[in-house]
């Protein structure tokens, strides 16, 4: 079980989310990289990068299921609900060892400063790259609303 702790958003440089395309691409080649990226975007309250962690069709459905035409505002609200308004302190990641390519899952424990802990089971989809069918990039398939529902249920 890998644990990631951030003492404060300042420790996470904005450069973590930017940088060369190759670095970002390499993060998405493993599920753990996608999860690290997702939670970094939540800590940095960065809605533009946040949505990139999710499978495009699913995040689009999630964003458009809300009446608000300002989708950046919708994504920011999602971030605030996942972080519980800035209470996110650390996460731990455990890969669920399964052999099939799609439908892969991982367990992520989310820790908050008020000592609440929520375990999320995230599903991933893998998109092959143009270069190689065996190579691909992962994205989170789980609906943001399902993640929020789990967090809110687990932190009552």
């Amino acid at each position: 079980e890998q644990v990631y702790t951030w003492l404060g958003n300042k420790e996470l440089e904005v450069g973590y989310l930017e940088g060369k395309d190759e670095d970002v691409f390499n993060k998405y080649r493993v599920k753990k990289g996608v999860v690290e990226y997702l939670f970094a975007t939540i800590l940095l309250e960065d809605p533009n990068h946040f949505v990139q962690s999710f499978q495009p069709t699913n995040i689009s459905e999630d964003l458009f299921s809300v009446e608000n035409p300002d989708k950046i505002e919708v994504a920011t609200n999602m971030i605030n609900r996942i972080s519980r308004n800035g209470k996110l302190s650390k996460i731990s990641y455990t890969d669920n060892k399964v052999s099939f390519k799609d439908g892969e899952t991982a367990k992520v424990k989310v820790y908050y400063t008020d000592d609440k802990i929520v375990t999320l089971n995230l599903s991933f989809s893998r998109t092959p790259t143009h270069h190689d069918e065996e190579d691909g990039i992962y994205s989170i398939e789980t609906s943001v609303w399902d993640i929020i529902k789990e967090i809110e249920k687990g932190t009552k």
Side-chain angles (χ1 to χ4, degrees):
E1 180 178 56
Q2 178 93 38
V3 179
Y4 304 92
T5 308
W6 298 281
L7 296 177
N9 296 5
K10 309 297 168 272
E11 255 184 54
L12 253 178
E13 306 265 330
V14 177
Y16 182 83
L17 298 180
E18 287 158 6
K20 302 187 293 307
D21 289 341
E22 191 64 24
D23 290 346
V24 172
F25 173 73
N26 283 332
K27 282 232 166 285
Y28 282 90
R29 290 170 74 167
V30 292
K31 292 177 283 186
K32 183 174 87 170
V34 179
V35 171
E36 288 173 20
Y37 187 88
L38 169 66
F39 283 93
T41 67
I42 292 168
L43 286 166
L44 292 169
E45 299 174 2
D46 183 336
N48 291 310
H49 286 99
F50 169 79
V51 297
Q52 292 176 19
S53 300
F54 293 91
Q55 202 271 337
T57 312
N58 296 2
I59 189 66
S60 184
E61 284 174 13
D62 284 348
L63 289 169
F64 283 90
S65 69
V66 176
E67 296 271 327
N68 187 341
D70 183 345
K71 298 310 167 193
I72 294 291
E73 208 173 273
V74 175
T76 300
N77 177 41
M78 291 170 163
I79 287 171
N80 288 334
R81 289 175 73 180
I82 292 171
S83 77
R84 297 181 55 239
N85 297 315
K87 290 188 183 95
L88 177 66
S89 64
K90 65 183 180 182
I91 63 164
S92 72
Y93 174 91
T94 310
D95 213 346
N96 291 346
K97 304 284 185 257
V98 283
S99 56
F100 39 89
K101 296 250 190 284
D102 262 350
E104 295 188 61
T105 63
K107 192 171 288 190
V108 177
K109 275 190 185 164
V110 186
Y111 298 80
Y112 295 96
T113 55
D114 59 359
D115 298 327
K116 305 267 188 194
I117 301 169
V118 178
T119 301
L120 302 172
N121 284 302
L122 299 181
S123 298
F124 296 81
S125 60
R126 198 164 159 272
T127 308
T129 61
H130 300 298
H131 317 298
D132 183 1
E133 285 293 312
E134 288 302 300
D135 204 11
I137 59 169
Y138 283 102
S139 55
I140 297 170
E141 214 172 37
T142 308
S143 161
V144 178
W145 298 119
D146 289 346
I147 291 170
I148 289 170
K149 201 182 315 170
E150 280 303 303
I151 288 170
E152 291 179 349
K153 192 173 76 182
T155 57
K156 279 190 171 141

